[in-house]
Amino acid sequence: DLTLTLGVRAEEVALESLDRLTGVALSKEFSKAVPTLGAVYALDDAHQVWLQYAEGFLTPDLDELFVDRNANPDLLPEEAANLEAGLRGALGMLRYEASLYFTDITNYIVTEEIVDNAGRESLSFTNAGRVTVRGLETVLEYQASDRVSLGLSYTYARNVFERFFERGIDLS
């Protein structure tokens, strides 16, 4: 038994900031259509394998764009593409789930140290480049009674800056 799911979410974000001391109003708008596609295959009544692809979109917040003294109004939103596959099911009173995932994030927002010509240091928010996130998640849960369950989970994650630039230098 195969179930397919397809979706698209339209994201529109408008950010506005008003400096009450100066009266200066700043605003920025972001929009993106983010798709998702999933498939679940039932091996039998108690066991399933699944696969999902999804995209994500995270805008900079007001502090990062306008408010903080390190603000950067030129920041781009972070964008992510995620692929995940797994197996889940039950064996009597034991429930299990295991999944592998890979996420590719571009325009990742970090704090960058800046040194001016006079040698003064300051910080600024910037889009650093690209980050990959890979991992494994597992869960085992034993239903001892209607009111008591015992669980065990394990997560392994490997997060790597694939492209990371600071002051024009590639720190990847």
Side-chain angles (χ1 to χ4, degrees):
D1 192 26
L2 178 66
T3 303
L4 298 175
T5 305
L6 174 65
V8 177
R9 183 177 69 240
E11 297 220 12
E12 293 188 23
V13 178
L15 300 171
E16 297 177 359
S17 177
L18 173 63
D19 185 327
R20 295 184 189 269
L21 295 175
T22 64
V24 174
L26 300 170
S27 65
K28 193 141 187 181
E29 294 183 9
F30 302 96
S31 64
K32 182 169 177 69
V34 288
T36 184
L37 174 63
V40 177
Y41 180 73
L43 300 170
D44 58 33
D45 288 343
H47 307 280
Q48 301 174 334
V49 292
W50 53 273
L51 178 68
Q52 179 179 358
Y53 172 80
E55 292 184 6
F57 175 75
L58 179 65
T59 67
D61 62 33
L62 282 172
D63 285 340
E64 293 167 334
L65 285 169
F66 308 125
V67 178
D68 193 276
R69 66 184 179 99
N70 306 317
N72 177 354
D74 297 323
L75 286 174
L76 300 171
E78 294 178 3
E79 296 186 20
N82 175 267
L83 185 61
E84 193 167 358
L87 174 68
R88 65 179 156 239
L91 298 165
M93 303 297 278
L94 184 66
R95 186 185 70 77
Y96 67 89
E97 184 164 345
S99 63
L100 295 169
Y101 60 88
F102 174 83
T103 305
D104 185 37
I105 304 169
T106 57
N107 298 323
Y108 194 73
I109 297 173
V110 297
T111 304
E112 175 182 36
E113 181 180 308
I114 297 171
V115 180
D116 67 16
N117 292 337
R120 292 183 299 256
E121 295 180 3
S122 64
L123 299 174
S124 178
F125 295 106
T126 188
N127 293 105
R130 182 173 160 229
V131 175
T132 57
V133 179
R134 298 177 181 138
L136 163 74
E137 294 180 339
T138 60
V139 175
L140 283 175
E141 185 175 270
Y142 178 73
Q143 191 70 43
S145 71
D146 289 342
R147 296 179 156 224
V148 177
S149 66
L150 304 170
L152 177 66
S153 63
Y154 173 78
T155 299
Y156 170 80
R158 186 169 195 291
N159 307 335
V160 176
F161 277 98
E162 299 293 341
R163 283 194 325 265
F164 182 79
F165 290 91
E166 186 171 332
R167 290 178 279 184
I169 300 169
D170 186 353
L171 302 175
S172 308

